[in-house]
Structures are given as structure tokens and as C-alpha cells.
Amino acid sequence: MRRLRGKFEKYFLHTHDRVRQYAVGVEQGGELMFRRIADTLTKYPHLLAVSNDAKKAFQNFDRAPMWDLLEREFPELATLVRFTYGVESAIVLRDADLGDPIIVLNAVGARQGCPLGTMLYALVQHPLLVEVAEAYDTLEVDAFADDVTFTAAPPVACAANALYKHLYTLRLNGELNDAKSSAISFGVTEAEARAAGLNENIPWMHAWMQAELPDGSVAEGGVILYGGPIGTPAFVRAFLQAAVDTTATSFRRLALMERRQDRLIMLRQSPSKKLQHVQRLQCLQ
């Protein structure tokens, strides 16, 4: 898989100059996506970012489109994927009053725990993102697996999200969850966004609302987007301080562990990664 990283990056980041999928083959993709969206909204307050979430994305996407895409874009993986997914899974239903047992064949989604799951989902999703970008020449599309953000002037961002929702249902037989989606802007009001076509079921994240910090406290002046703070300098400082304080508490708890090897494992897996994540999210000066 590591030998394919260059091909992954070329396909998911450079197929289209306004479409970026950060979940496959991109180091620190989540942090890069946050930084791009946060900086864009800060620099251009007249823009609107509409983010959406797919319901049970990895479980429900239609596999049918992935075979041709695999053969064309990643032939090195085609045999392995056909070996893994070429035969439909069998789901056995008992006590269903349908003439037990009933066997239902399943040919959708990625299998639980499959290391290829994210890549396969992104593979079949990517043509939809490109199609939406082609429909609106001022649209920027950023995605981390099933989390997709459309950034543009309000009418374009809202129309793009609606088109993607339609294509996602039509091509992948999936469904977007509007209740877990969001819309945010530093200069556009909610009334303006709704008038531009923002779905009434998509929550509005006012740029200066209250948000919960990593330590569980609440601060005013910003929101949390993709795990990072966007808002006033005071809000960002409060978020960073809470993240550091929470991590410091974890360090003190490590001292209570008896074995040094256990301490080292926990240190690498939790506190260190939390601090690195915070450092990558913010431009610390």
C-alpha cells in the first residue's frame, strides 16, 4: 500500500484542481483539510462552507462503480479487491417468519475492519465530487472520506450540496444525514444562507457561538470544525489551553502505571498524538 501512496495522492488530490480528498495517501490529511477551510473562511468572510455527513457511509455504498475504477486507476489492487469483495456476503436471518432460515446476499459497503474500506469508499465517491465541481466553476471541494465540505458564495455552496446529495443517492444508493451536516460563514448571516437555498434541516454554526472545549468547559467566540477551533484569538487560546491541560492530566495518570513499557505505549498512543494534532491544527507563532 505504501508503494501506491504516490498514485493515491495523484488521483485523490490532483484529478481536479478544485477537488481534494485528504483521507487516502495524504499525511496529516485531517489537519490539512481543517487548515485550508479555516484559512479560506477567515480570508474570505463572504463565502459559505456547507459540510455534510453520510449515513453509515462505509456500510451502505454501492460497490458496482468500483470495479471499472479499480481496473483503470489502481490495477495493482484489482485482484486483491476482487478476491475480498468479488463474492457476495451471506446474511442469515432466523426467526423472521419468512421460512427460516432466510439467506440475504449483501454486495454493498466495505467489510468491518477492512484496511481497504476508506480507499474503496473514496474511490467510488470521487467521481461525484468532480462532477459537482465541474457544475460550478467557483466551487472548492474538500473531503475527508465521507465528510465533504463545499465552499463558495452562498448560492453556489447550497446548490452544490443539493446536487451532491442527489448524485450520492442516485449513484451510490446512499443517504446524507442533514441533521449531522453544518453550515458556517464569518460574514454571511443564517437568513442570507437560507434565502440562498440552504436546506432547513442543516444546522447553522454561527462563527461566534459557544462551543465545548476539550476539557468539557464551554467558551464563547468560535466553533469547533473537524476537531479544530475557528473563532476569535481568545477562543482559540482557550481551546489550546484546554487541550494542553487535558493532556497534562493524562501525563500525571501515566505515573500511576506500574510498568514502564505500559507507560511508553500509552504515551505514544494518546497524549503525544493529541499534542501533535493540536500543533498541526494551529499556526503557532
Side-chain angles (χ1 to χ4, degrees):
M1 291 291 285
R2 289 188 177 183
R3 288 179 295 179
L4 290 172
R5 179 172 292 177
K7 293 192 68 173
F8 287 150
E9 183 174 329
K10 180 180 179 180
Y11 178 75
F12 290 111
L13 285 184
H14 305 298
T15 299
H16 192 283
D17 60 359
R18 290 182 286 108
V19 178
R20 293 163 291 274
Q21 168 61 262
Y22 295 95
V24 184
V26 183
E27 289 285 350
Q28 303 165 19
E31 289 91 345
L32 290 173
M33 180 174 173
F34 166 81
R35 190 73 270 149
R36 180 178 181 84
I37 296 173
D39 290 348
T40 299
L41 291 176
T42 302
K43 185 175 181 180
Y44 305 105
H46 64 284
L47 297 182
L48 174 68
V50 181
S51 302
N52 57 61
D53 177 80
K55 291 183 178 179
K56 298 182 178 179
F58 292 0
Q59 300 175 33
N60 293 341
F61 71 89
D62 191 345
R63 295 179 197 162
M66 78 181 184
W67 304 115
D68 289 341
L69 286 168
L70 273 172
E71 294 289 354
R72 185 171 69 250
E73 303 295 342
F74 305 106
E76 305 92 333
L77 292 175
T79 300
L80 174 61
V81 175
R82 288 191 181 278
F83 177 79
T84 306
Y85 289 97
V87 178
E88 298 174 332
S89 303
I91 301 175
V92 180
L93 302 179
R94 299 182 183 277
D95 302 322
D97 295 328
L98 297 173
D100 298 335
I102 294 295
I103 298 177
V104 179
L105 297 180
N106 175 29
V108 300
R111 291 176 179 163
Q112 186 171 3
C114 177
L116 294 172
T118 300
M119 190 279 289
L120 295 177
Y121 175 84
L123 180 68
V124 298
Q125 174 208 42
H126 203 66
L128 307 186
L129 302 181
V130 172
E131 186 171 342
V132 175
E134 284 292 300
Y136 305 98
D137 57 9
T138 59
L139 179 70
E140 296 289 336
V141 183
D142 297 282
F144 192 90
D146 62 315
D147 293 319
V148 181
T149 298
F150 300 108
T151 306
V156 173
C158 296
N161 188 69
L163 175 58
Y164 177 67
K165 184 175 183 178
H166 168 71
L167 294 175
Y168 192 85
T169 302
L170 181 67
R171 306 275 177 78
L172 300 185
N173 295 316
E175 184 179 0
L176 298 188
N177 188 351
D178 287 340
K180 289 188 176 180
S181 302
S182 64
I184 182 173
S185 173
F186 282 7
V188 179
T189 67
E190 180 178 3
E192 291 170 337
R194 301 293 181 194
L198 181 65
N199 188 299
E200 62 180 5
N201 296 318
I202 295 179
W204 176 256
M205 298 177 65
H206 190 277
W208 312 120
M209 65 191 298
Q210 288 186 337
E212 184 176 343
L213 302 181
D215 60 359
S217 62
V218 176
E220 294 183 348
V223 297
I224 308 300
L225 182 67
Y226 297 119
I230 302 177
T232 64
F235 176 80
V236 173
R237 284 196 297 269
F239 178 93
L240 296 176
Q241 188 62 59
V244 171
D245 290 345
T246 302
T247 305
T249 301
S250 300
F251 284 134
R252 290 191 289 270
R253 290 172 179 167
L254 282 176
L256 301 177
M257 301 183 71
E258 182 177 353
R259 298 181 61 218
R260 293 181 179 178
Q261 184 67 21
D262 293 339
R263 296 180 198 172
L264 178 61
I265 293 173
M266 290 299 295
L267 178 65
R268 287 176 173 173
Q269 293 300 318
S270 183
S272 295
K273 289 188 176 181
K274 287 181 180 178
L275 284 179
Q276 290 172 0
H277 177 67
V278 170
Q279 288 174 330
R280 292 166 182 165
L281 287 176
Q282 292 302 316
C283 298
L284 301 178
Q285 297 178 355

